[in-house]
Each structure stands twice: as C-alpha cells, then as structure tokens.
Amino acid sequence: MVGMEGLARRAMATLSGGERQKVLIAGALSQDAEIMLLDEPTTFLDPRHQHEIINILKKINTQHGVTILSVTHDINHAALFSSKIIAIKDGAVAFRGPPESLMNNSTLAGIYEKPFTFVSHPETGTPVIIPEAG
C-alpha cells in the first residue's frame, strides 16, 4: 500500500527521509491500527515525498477507514488535506473546526499574533498562506 516493495531488502539506515516515513507508516498499518498518531509526518521531506506521504495517508483514511491524527506546523498542508483542525495556543484549544473556518486573518492572527496574506489555491479554491516578502 505504501509502495515499498522495491526497498524490502535495504537497511533502514540507507533509506531517504521519505522512504523511512513510508516504512514507519507500513509498520503502523501492519498492526491494523484504527487510529494513526503522526508527529510532523512531512517535515524535512522534499516536495515529492511530502506529496507521496500525504496521498498515502489520504488513501489509508478514505479507503481503509483509519483515523489519522497528525501534528503539523504546516498550516497550508493542514488546510488542504484535513477534514478537521484543532489549533493549540499556550496549551489550550484555540480553534476547532473545518479548515475553511481556520483560514482567515481573524482566526489565524489571534492564534499566531501576526497577520497573514492569503490567496486561493488554483486547483481547490482553498485559501492558502503565501510567504512574507521580507
């Protein structure tokens, strides 16, 4: 399911970050878990591996009914690929709801104490944050 067939004989230490993440996800799947708890599953991965991991997790969730709970600091990924978001500030829940309710300045500025600039994602129309220019 995670596309690791060609790497089965390689040692873990020889795998890239994205390949390692796939192995860890495969290990969790082999335990028939109903819930997967992930801590920054795409951090330090190149864009290709980020995309692969997100698509694997989406498939696990939608096709196999596994609940995915992921901690991330990537607000755009959370908005684009989550059905529900919980934002924590100072150890308390600052937001709980659908991504489209999070992605606005009144909500995010209250959480992060800074304003953001948004554009609509060209494929989904979802508001996404663009980086500051300077």
Side-chain angles (χ1 to χ4, degrees):
M1 180 187 294
V2 299
M4 296 301 298
E5 296 83 7
L7 304 173
R9 298 191 189 281
R10 287 188 41 201
M12 188 78 152
T14 68
L15 301 177
S16 72
E19 292 166 339
R20 262 186 225 159
Q21 192 67 300
K22 289 180 189 179
V23 169
L24 295 172
I25 291 169
L29 284 172
S30 71
Q31 298 174 38
D32 290 325
E34 294 178 18
I35 300 173
M36 291 180 70
L37 305 174
L38 305 170
D39 185 14
E40 302 279 358
T42 59
T43 298
F44 304 120
L45 300 183
D46 62 53
R48 185 187 109 211
H49 283 106
Q50 286 181 7
H51 183 75
E52 287 177 1
I53 296 300
I54 288 168
N55 283 329
I56 289 167
L57 295 173
K58 281 174 36 180
K59 184 166 65 170
I60 291 167
N61 174 252
T62 59
Q63 294 178 9
H64 299 279
V66 175
T67 299
I68 308 290
L69 178 62
S70 177
V71 174
T72 184
H73 288 92
D74 190 324
I75 300 167
N76 286 332
H77 273 163
L80 290 168
F81 303 110
S82 302
S83 58
K84 296 175 189 159
I85 295 176
I86 297 172
I88 306 293
K89 179 179 179 181
D90 299 328
V93 174
F95 171 87
R96 178 181 303 158
E100 57 273 10
S101 297
L102 175 72
M103 298 302 282
N104 61 73
N105 253 327
S106 63
T107 303
L108 284 178
I111 294 169
Y112 292 100
E113 300 175 7
K114 67 172 286 333
F116 292 89
T117 303
F118 297 89
V119 296
S120 292
H121 189 282
E123 294 174 11
T124 66
T126 302
V128 291
I129 299 166
I130 59 172
E132 293 179 18

